[in-house]
Amino acid sequence: MASGDIAQITEALAKTHVGEVELSYKGRGLKLDNAESVKEMVQEIEQCQGLQSLRLEGNTLGVEAAQAISKALEAKRELEQCHWSDMFTGRLRSEIPPALKSLGNALMTSGARLTQLDLSDNAFGPDGVEGIESLLKSTVCYTLRELRLNNCGMGIGGGMVLASALTECYKQSSAAGPPLKLKVFIAGRNRLENKGATALAKAFKLLGSLEEVYMPQNGINHLGITALAAAMKHNPNLQVLNLNDNTFTKRGSIAMAETISHLQCLKVINFGDCLVRSEGAIAIAGALREGLPFLRELNLSFGEICEAASLVVAKAVQGKADLEKLDLNGNCLGEDGCEALREAMERMNMEELLGSLSDDEGEPDEEDGEEDDDEEEEEEEEKDDDEEKESEAEENGFNGVNGTKDIIEEKEESHCTSELTSFLISPSAEKLMSLGAKRIQLVEQVDVSNASKVSEVFLKISSVYEDEPEVKQAVFESTDALLRKAFSNSHSRAYSLISSLIVNLGLLKSEDKKIKKVAVLPGHLLTLEHAAAQEFFPADQAGVLEAFVSRNGKVLESCSSARDALKTTLVKRTTA
């Protein structure tokens, strides 16, 4: 056999994967401006029988060259995979849409049925999305399984166009036969922001087939995160969720925690650099306790999470047999906190699964820059609230434990009678006793789905605690009824309740500036100590409380005796 023939066979084998026919021009750095520059490529495409995969990434394609390639693709009905990332480097943005339209039209003419479309790293902006809009709506994409649009600069407008195209594709494919079953969606670094993410969330909810979603670095805050969380609930086979470097804050974290507790196939969670914070981390820990049996990786790095909250997360991954890595780097643990976390993982024989803590930010300084941070966050919250009012109703619930305005306004909705409302406005032992047996019935009518509301009512009742046996019994009976019902909810909601109590007691600073800590009384802690000893009080919730009381207990110094009693009971519950 001639050496030239051997070379040709070797080259053909290099271009062909086992089980598929592929032509690859990947990474050649070709500058393809016109028909002449792609003449050889066109001939190879035309001569390749049964072409299934075409790799053009790593070259730069002009309009005329794209048109020439498109002509060759019109006869390639078997084509399934288009790896077309990074193929417009150095091109004017105005060149990209017509080039994409030519290629898309060719695929529609051919009657191809794609399974993979990769257009990542093409900075085509919103106009580029319009260039593939017709393709995405066509029969070519009815069979699409993977759509990769990472780092394309789509922006809000492009995200909305993309969402509309996917929705239309789903509806048309459903009418024609099997619906679109997209499994992998990648759209990181696109500045989708809230409106783009919300539009895509509606499409995701409709699809219900997603298994992997990657949307890092998109400028999405809690509004968009909440919309995505709601959509992910409708994708039960989701295995990978990467929302790295967006901004969850408390509201987004709680919404996402509620969702992931239902996603039993989830294996990889990347919420790193998402400003999850301590309250969000506690909520996510609740979701971990509730499900996620196949979890392999959890990334909550760079989230402003404190030591106690990190320990709550660590304890929540205990028993995850498939876990390979827990990343809590870049948080606010401090040197002692890092060591405590390592020791906790070691006690669970999971120390090798803990990622590096080399970039820990140290314990937060409560005073340094606090006022400036508060002002910035309040401005951001006002902006978010204005945006939220345009799309959804405000969240239900109390604004804090120091007032009762919301209780009065919502008494019909929460079924509180005037007697209970009167007590909550101005709590006293006499008023609680005067309610008699009705107090249990009234307390049980509190909306336990609202953690802030339950926390407020608990603290109002426990504030009238006295050593006098009848008063003590009335307080305990009332709070037992309240917490028994509250803890019968999901783990994630129970964790939200404990988080609210921790904030109200001053053991954790909330990001919600409307919520202020109460003036802690011994009765608060003694009532909590009594509740923690009861069977209805989950041991893992006792563990959360214990982590904060043990590490931040100085704020309870004025009630040191009651604090120590509470701590002792919590330790017994967690070690029993």
Side-chain angles (χ1 to χ4, degrees):
M1 183 179 290
S3 60
D5 293 337
I6 294 175
Q8 288 180 354
I9 292 173
T10 301
E11 183 178 0
L13 288 173
K15 293 178 179 178
T16 306
H17 290 175
V18 177
E20 69 179 20
V21 180
E22 178 179 271
L23 279 177
S24 177
Y25 304 92
K26 180 180 179 180
R28 296 190 184 183
L30 302 174
K31 193 171 187 297
L32 309 171
D33 295 323
N34 48 44
E36 184 62 27
S37 65
V38 295
K39 184 176 180 180
E40 183 179 344
M41 184 185 295
V42 167
Q43 289 177 345
E44 291 181 346
I45 293 173
E46 290 176 340
Q47 293 170 7
C48 185
Q49 298 299 313
L51 178 64
Q52 294 174 291
S53 176
L54 179 61
R55 308 194 76 102
L56 297 176
E57 64 264 53
N59 301 290
T60 177
L61 196 63
V63 176
E64 188 178 334
Q67 291 171 342
I69 294 172
S70 298
K71 191 67 176 176
L73 290 177
E74 289 180 355
K76 300 301 170 183
R77 184 179 182 85
E78 293 87 357
L79 189 63
E80 296 178 354
Q81 301 177 25
C82 294
H83 302 278
W84 296 347
S85 64
D86 188 24
M87 65 177 192
F88 295 112
T89 301
R91 298 293 171 182
L92 296 174
R93 181 168 288 188
S94 60
E95 294 182 81
I96 302 176
L100 290 172
K101 285 181 180 179
S102 294
L103 293 167
N105 288 338
L107 295 176
M108 287 186 278
T109 299
S110 73
R113 293 292 187 274
L114 293 185
T115 58
Q116 296 182 34
L117 177 60
D118 186 357
L119 290 167
S120 299
D121 301 314
N122 290 311
F124 49 51
D127 293 342
V129 183
E130 293 178 1
I132 60 172
E133 182 179 8
S134 296
L135 172 64
L136 291 173
K137 292 179 179 179
S138 73
T139 57
V140 177
C141 291
Y142 285 5
T143 52
L144 198 62
R145 296 295 179 264
E146 298 184 15
L147 179 58
R148 301 170 183 263
L149 295 168
N150 199 58
N151 191 30
C152 289
M154 289 189 288
I156 294 173
M160 296 177 78
V161 171
L162 175 61
S164 176
L166 290 174
T167 300
E168 189 64 24
C169 183
Y170 178 85
K171 291 180 178 178
Q172 291 186 9
S173 62
S174 298
L180 169 66
K181 293 183 178 179
L182 189 67
K183 294 184 177 181
V184 178
F185 179 83
I186 301 176
R189 301 184 65 186
N190 274 292
R191 296 303 304 177
L192 295 170
E193 301 185 19
N194 288 335
K195 290 184 179 179
T198 300
L200 284 167
K202 293 178 181 177
F204 295 162
K205 181 178 179 179
L206 190 64
L207 290 173
S209 57
L210 291 170
E211 296 180 4
E212 300 181 21
V213 174
Y214 303 81
M215 296 176 67
Q217 290 184 293
N218 271 297
I220 308 169
N221 68 21
H222 73 90
L223 296 176
I225 295 299
T226 299
L228 289 171
M232 294 307 149
K233 276 187 180 181
H234 297 269
N235 290 266
N237 295 319
L238 191 68
Q239 298 179 30
V240 178
L241 182 56
N242 183 342
L243 296 173
N244 187 284
D245 200 8
N246 289 292
T247 307
F248 282 37
T249 60
K250 175 185 174 180
R251 285 186 277 186
S253 298
I254 290 175
M256 194 57 72
E258 177 67 22
T259 286
I260 63 176
S261 66
H262 298 286
L263 299 175
Q264 297 303 301
C265 296
L266 206 53
K267 296 179 180 179
V268 178
I269 299 174
N270 187 340
F271 296 160
D273 204 12
C274 284
L275 213 61
V276 167
R277 291 181 171 154
S278 298
E279 290 177 274
I282 293 171
I284 290 170
L288 296 174
R289 289 280 191 177
E290 196 163 5
L292 304 172
F294 305 113
L295 186 67
R296 288 205 313 255
E297 295 182 22
L298 175 62
N299 185 343
L300 294 178
S301 60
F302 299 94
E304 295 189 3
I305 299 170
C306 71
E307 174 193 349
S310 74
L311 292 173
V312 172
V313 172
K315 291 175 182 177
V317 300
Q318 186 174 18
K320 304 295 181 188
D322 295 337
L323 191 70
E324 297 174 2
K325 184 176 182 180
L326 171 62
D327 191 346
L328 288 167
N329 196 21
N331 284 299
C332 305
L333 312 186
E335 186 175 342
D336 292 342
C338 289
E339 185 59 30
L341 179 58
R342 292 189 189 97
E343 290 176 356
M345 293 294 285
E346 186 175 355
R347 285 194 296 271
M348 298 185 294
N349 295 319
M350 302 175 76
E351 64 272 20
E352 293 181 359
L353 308 184
L354 181 64
S356 170
L357 299 175
S358 60
D359 295 317
D360 186 72
E361 296 286 342
E363 294 183 59
D365 188 338
E366 292 289 334
E367 302 298 330
D368 186 23
E370 184 176 314
E371 292 184 5
D372 291 339
D373 290 344
D374 288 355
E375 289 177 4
E376 289 178 7
E377 290 187 15
E378 284 174 5
E379 289 177 4
E380 187 66 27
E381 286 176 4
E382 288 177 6
K383 178 182 177 182
D384 292 346
D385 287 342
D386 288 341
E387 186 177 342
E388 190 170 11
K389 288 174 184 177
E390 295 176 2
S391 59
E392 60 184 79
E394 289 288 344
E395 296 180 21
N396 294 326
F398 294 155
N399 287 332
V401 299
N402 297 322
T404 55
K405 179 181 178 182
D406 288 336
I407 302 175
I408 298 171
E409 289 181 347
E410 296 184 5
K411 64 182 180 180
E412 181 176 343
E413 181 179 330
S414 59
H415 308 294
C416 289
T417 68
S418 58
E419 292 171 291
L420 180 58
T421 303
S422 175
F423 169 79
L424 294 173
I425 291 173
S426 180
S428 69
E430 291 75 20
K431 287 183 179 179
L432 183 66
M433 295 300 294
S434 69
L435 290 172
K438 288 191 297 182
R439 60 177 171 264
I440 306 300
Q441 179 183 354
L442 296 176
V443 167
E444 287 180 341
Q445 291 174 352
V446 174
D447 179 12
V448 295
S449 67
N450 188 315
S452 296
K453 183 179 296 186
V454 176
S455 178
E456 178 165 0
V457 174
F458 175 86
L459 293 171
K460 293 278 188 178
I461 295 173
S462 59
S463 69
V464 305
Y465 173 96
E466 294 178 3
D467 284 331
E468 200 279 315
E470 289 187 3
V471 175
K472 182 191 296 188
Q473 183 179 354
V475 168
F476 287 170
E477 287 179 351
S478 301
T479 53
D480 282 357
L482 177 66
L483 295 184
R484 184 180 289 107
K485 183 179 179 183
F487 284 132
S488 66
N489 269 298
S490 66
H491 262 77
S492 55
R493 285 185 177 175
Y495 269 70
S496 293
L497 167 56
I498 293 298
S499 180
S500 292
L501 282 170
I502 289 169
V503 168
N504 295 152
L505 292 172
L507 297 170
L508 176 65
K509 181 182 176 183
S510 175
E511 67 181 55
D512 187 345
K513 302 304 178 290
K514 296 176 182 177
I515 296 180
K516 307 298 180 182
K517 69 175 184 178
V518 298
V520 180
L521 302 171
H524 291 135
L525 305 183
L526 292 173
T527 305
L528 196 53
E529 186 266 336
H530 162 81
Q534 307 308 307
E535 289 186 4
F536 64 75
F537 201 104
D540 55 327
Q541 310 296 333
V544 177
L545 265 178
E546 190 274 329
F548 280 87
V549 172
S550 295
R551 284 155 183 82
N552 303 335
K554 288 183 180 180
V555 301
L556 305 176
E557 193 64 38
S558 62
C559 307
S560 58
S561 179
R563 177 200 63 193
D564 293 343
L566 171 60
K567 183 178 176 181
T568 299
T569 297
L570 293 173
V571 170
K572 286 180 180 178
R573 286 301 312 278
T574 55
T575 57

